[in-house]
Amino acid sequence: MPMALPPAADVEAVIVTAPRLAALPSEAAFSVINIDARTLGATGRLDQALKTVPGVSLFRRTGSDGANPTIQGLSLRAIAPSGAGRALVTLDGVPQNDPFGGWVIWTAMPPEGLSGVSLVRGAGAGPYGAGALTGVAALSELPVGNDTQLLDLSVADDGSSRGGLALTTGRLVVTGSAERREGYVPVRKGRGPADNPTNLEARSLSARLQGERDGVRMAMRLSAYDEARDAGLAGAASHASGTSASVSLARPQATGLGWRAQAWVRSSDLENTSVAVGPGRLTTTPANDQYATPALGYGLNGALQGRSGNLSWELGGDVRIADGEVRERFRVVSGAFTRNRVAGGRTAIGGVYGEGAWSSDNWVLGAGLRVDAWQQSDAHRQERDIATGATLLNLSPTDTSGTTPTARLALRRDLGENLFVRGAAYGGFRPPSLNELHRPFRVGNDVTEANSALRPETLKGVEVGLGGEAWSATLFATRLEDPITNVTLGPGPATFPVAGFIPAGGVLRQRQNAGQIEAWGLEADWAQDLGPVDLKAGLTYSHARVDGGTSVPQLTGKRPAQVPNLTLTSQATWQASEAFSLTAGLRYEGSRFEDDLNSRKLSPALSLDGRMDWNLGAGRSLYLAAENLTDAAIEVGETGDGIESFAAPRRVMLGLTLGR
């Protein structure tokens, strides 16, 4: 990981973080794990670094190097992943989830620009707000205070290349990245001319200007990203772009009141083309051309924090609004698109909360209450004939709204000798994204319809944990009500209302609130420092089952799609000398199902990564890294006609870091 050069001997280092408030002491009563800058810097992809923690996953096993942007949402604890993600991602308090789809563009946040990540698992809404259903990934950007220059350059054996940059001064942080990935062909057995590599080109740039006056920290941050991907099929590709801006003010609590205020805005656009695959995978034909998906999200949040003796408290609130629509051409006849569709709407969520924490030498008690009001409005779906302009479908679904209260309670007792016991109960909720409400999509011959009548998901959970200085174990039980699931309606070839014709080998699904999901499980983390060798290991076991009730009884007893029952991770780092270190990381995932009916089973997966680092002195280091070192076949998908697709094969990279 690129690290800052030490300051000159006669200069006192003054490190100032971004404007934010410290977490209340009660945060220690929840399941929290921190990822340091060294772990983040061992890879050029933030999502891969997060997956060193078991239970952290995107919707599929495919990482951000090869996955479509629409399935890059983050989820925790393997309760029920989704493309939108069921965990909230923030950067110094500002939400990073896409305003249209809730997913995260991971290439927009190069690890070189981060000082660490705090993963709060299963904490519910609390002060985090809507979206923190299975937890929160709280990212921290590099502080200001020292003049540093960090540069990481790498090339891979497949012709790929990447560069990451971070510059900091007394008031400014600039980060950027550029990547060109020569991709791989996901289909191995049964591959045909229709199968192409998943190439990637991505760029990002951000700048944060920060100052302080009379104890108040002020920061303005601007960022932009652009990435283009090939989807692995001839004619199927995506292009995602966006910009964001935020203004943050904070006066961290010292002896009096502390406060924070933030305003942010994010714009994004997605172009996504999909194709139908012909017999024998010989050809593809255009199926959808989503030529624009403009979206704008904006919001405010603020908090007031105080302390009196052993009691700490925080009062706050936030508002998030998102507007967006999908614009696409579809329904191909004689090689040309014949229909045009525009569909979208607006979502708005606003909430207020209060949190209190009481702490003594051995006890921590925390309690909080939150109330959110939500609204789904301005929904529209219009379909026209391209040749004549005639309106073929014009839907204006009724606005919906509601109020959702949530709460959380946590207790921790330190037993001495680095041993503690804790327990927590919590609730959280996630309203559906504009993507789930309004955007249909197609993968090969499988079609998934949107659903403007979706209700928010809510989760209730309890957990109890035991831990020490370098280990912890937690038992948890949760109930996810009204989970948004892709429900199978029928196979092709057939014609369905609204969706139209589904070809042979494909199925029609629709996003629906599918009863409830009950899950219980165990998560454990362990670390040991054995002198020159550092060891880390973790596991997450999750037993999750759907109760479809009367709405989708065919799903009762089924495991949620894309949920593994067991995930194991381990990592060993050997510091052989001051100049040389060797790291190996192992990840095992149990089997999972591709679909809601559990008819397409994906095999277990075992992957090994490795890295060697040489310190060349004078702020320079060289590294050799390998992903999927054993070239394991990691199955990530299966179509209705049995065609399997796989994650990336072995990839070896040579890199140079300047600024260590």
Side-chain angles (χ1 to χ4, degrees):
M1 162 66 184
M3 298 295 288
L5 290 171
D10 58 345
V11 177
E12 181 181 358
V14 179
I15 303 300
V16 182
T17 61
R20 59 178 182 264
L21 296 177
L24 294 181
S26 54
E27 200 80 351
F30 293 95
S31 179
V32 181
I33 188 165
N34 296 309
I35 303 177
D36 59 21
R38 176 171 182 152
T39 301
L40 294 175
T43 173
R45 302 204 315 273
L46 177 56
D47 62 302
Q48 184 178 357
L50 296 179
K51 286 176 69 174
T52 60
V53 178
V56 174
S57 66
L58 306 187
F59 182 53
R60 300 182 188 273
R61 288 173 175 156
T62 309
S64 63
D65 58 329
N68 187 280
T70 61
I71 59 171
Q72 293 187 29
L74 185 73
S75 296
L76 303 177
R77 280 190 170 166
I79 295 169
S82 75
R86 291 191 165 106
L88 180 66
V89 180
T90 65
L91 177 60
D92 292 325
V94 177
Q96 299 299 299
N97 303 76
D98 184 85
F100 186 83
W103 51 70
V104 180
I105 304 296
W106 298 102
T107 58
M109 295 178 289
E112 289 85 359
L114 301 176
S115 61
V117 180
S118 180
L119 288 171
V120 186
R121 297 175 288 195
Y128 305 108
L133 202 69
T134 61
V136 178
L139 315 179
S140 298
E141 199 168 34
L142 290 174
V144 297
N146 285 332
D147 293 341
T148 63
Q149 304 85 37
L150 317 174
L151 178 64
D152 186 90
L153 302 171
S154 64
V155 294
D157 59 345
D158 60 2
S160 302
S161 59
R162 181 187 181 276
L165 172 72
L167 304 174
T168 70
T169 70
R171 292 190 175 186
L172 183 67
V173 178
V174 177
T175 62
S177 65
E179 180 177 3
R180 184 176 183 272
R181 181 72 181 261
E182 297 293 337
Y184 59 95
V185 179
V187 173
R188 300 185 180 184
K189 185 178 180 181
R191 179 189 302 177
D195 296 296
N196 280 359
T198 58
N199 299 325
L200 166 68
E201 290 190 9
R203 296 166 292 276
S204 71
L205 182 65
S206 69
R208 186 180 92 238
L209 181 63
Q210 186 169 330
E212 184 170 343
R213 184 173 181 177
D214 297 331
V216 177
R217 297 179 186 175
M218 302 164 281
M220 180 176 68
R221 187 178 190 274
L222 303 174
S223 68
Y225 68 86
D226 185 275
E227 65 167 41
R229 300 173 178 270
D230 292 328
L233 289 170
S238 67
H239 177 211
S241 59
T243 59
S244 68
S246 64
V247 177
S248 304
L249 302 172
R251 181 178 180 178
Q253 178 188 348
T255 56
L257 294 177
W259 56 268
R260 179 200 76 236
Q262 285 183 323
W264 56 269
V265 59
R266 298 179 64 86
S267 66
S268 67
D269 197 7
L270 173 69
E271 303 168 30
N272 196 69
T273 58
S274 59
V275 296
V277 183
R281 304 186 74 80
L282 298 175
T283 60
T284 63
T285 56
N288 287 79
D289 177 16
Q290 295 174 347
Y291 55 88
T293 314
L296 180 67
Y298 47 98
L300 303 167
N301 65 74
L304 185 65
Q305 204 175 77
R307 180 168 184 170
S308 176
N310 293 340
L311 180 64
S312 302
W313 55 268
E314 182 174 313
L315 300 175
D318 54 74
V319 176
R320 303 178 205 169
I321 299 172
D323 285 281
E325 64 182 18
V326 59
R327 303 166 187 171
E328 64 180 318
R329 291 180 282 265
F330 67 106
R331 193 73 55 88
V332 174
V333 178
S334 300
F337 290 109
T338 63
R339 303 280 179 88
N340 188 81
R341 176 190 292 132
V342 176
R346 165 183 284 200
T347 60
I349 310 107
V352 294
Y353 68 90
E355 289 268 324
W358 179 85
S359 58
S360 68
D361 291 339
N362 300 318
W363 291 91
V364 175
L365 173 65
L369 178 65
R370 181 182 180 94
V371 179
D372 285 276
W374 55 270
Q375 183 182 55
Q376 297 161 188
S377 62
D378 299 335
H380 55 275
R381 178 168 178 168
Q382 298 174 340
E383 297 179 3
R384 290 185 169 89
D385 185 277
I386 292 177
T388 66
T391 299
L392 305 174
L393 183 68
N394 190 357
L395 301 177
S396 299
T398 303
D399 295 352
T400 58
S401 61
T403 302
T404 303
T406 54
R408 63 179 193 166
L409 178 67
L411 179 66
R412 171 172 165 148
R413 164 71 168 167
D414 290 331
L415 304 176
E417 298 183 357
N418 296 319
L419 185 66
F420 67 85
V421 62
R422 62 173 193 84
Y426 41 80
F429 94 109
R430 183 185 76 88
S433 66
L434 291 171
N435 177 68
E436 292 165 320
L437 291 165
H438 305 298
R439 174 183 168 267
F441 70 92
R442 182 168 184 158
V443 179
N445 292 339
D446 293 340
V447 176
T448 301
E449 264 291 342
N451 185 352
S452 61
L454 291 172
R455 302 180 300 277
E457 304 174 326
T458 57
L459 180 141
K460 299 179 178 66
V462 295
E463 61 186 56
V464 60
L466 184 69
E469 182 178 4
W471 66 275
S472 67
T474 299
L475 288 170
F476 63 87
T478 62
R479 173 177 293 176
L480 178 58
E481 298 178 351
D482 293 323
I484 298 172
T485 303
N486 296 338
V487 175
T488 299
L489 301 183
T495 299
F496 295 86
V498 181
F501 180 73
I502 305 300
V507 298
L508 174 65
R509 301 188 182 100
Q510 185 189 38
R511 301 183 183 100
Q512 295 183 10
N513 293 106
Q516 62 185 29
I517 296 174
E518 294 187 353
W520 58 268
L522 168 70
E523 61 190 15
D525 305 283
W526 171 82
Q528 184 68 49
D529 183 358
L530 301 176
V533 178
D534 286 334
L535 301 175
K536 295 179 181 179
L539 72 85
T540 293
Y541 173 80
S542 178
H543 182 276
R545 293 295 183 269
V546 178
D547 181 355
T550 58
S551 59
V552 282
Q554 71 274 20
L555 301 186
T556 297
K558 300 290 193 298
R559 194 194 307 177
Q562 300 295 337
V563 171
N565 55 5
L566 178 64
T567 303
L568 301 169
T569 64
S570 63
Q571 181 175 291
T573 300
W574 175 39
Q575 190 70 46
S577 67
E578 291 185 2
F580 178 77
S581 65
L582 178 64
T583 300
L586 194 68
R587 181 181 176 94
Y588 169 81
E589 236 188 43
S591 62
R592 58 168 74 183
F593 291 100
E594 165 75 14
D595 63 325
D596 59 311
L597 295 176
N598 292 183
S599 62
R600 308 180 197 176
K601 190 173 185 178
L602 307 181
S603 302
L606 179 66
S607 61
L608 174 66
D609 299 332
R611 180 177 169 119
M612 293 183 289
D613 287 88
W614 293 269
N615 186 350
L616 305 178
R620 299 170 298 165
S621 63
L622 191 70
Y623 63 86
L624 181 68
E627 298 175 355
N628 193 10
L629 186 59
T630 62
D631 200 26
I634 302 174
E635 190 179 6
V636 299
E638 182 179 324
T639 64
D641 53 1
I643 297 296
E644 300 170 329
S645 56
F646 295 86
R650 178 174 52 239
R651 181 169 177 261
V652 180
M653 295 154 286
L654 179 65
L656 175 67
T657 299
L658 303 176
R660 181 181 294 271

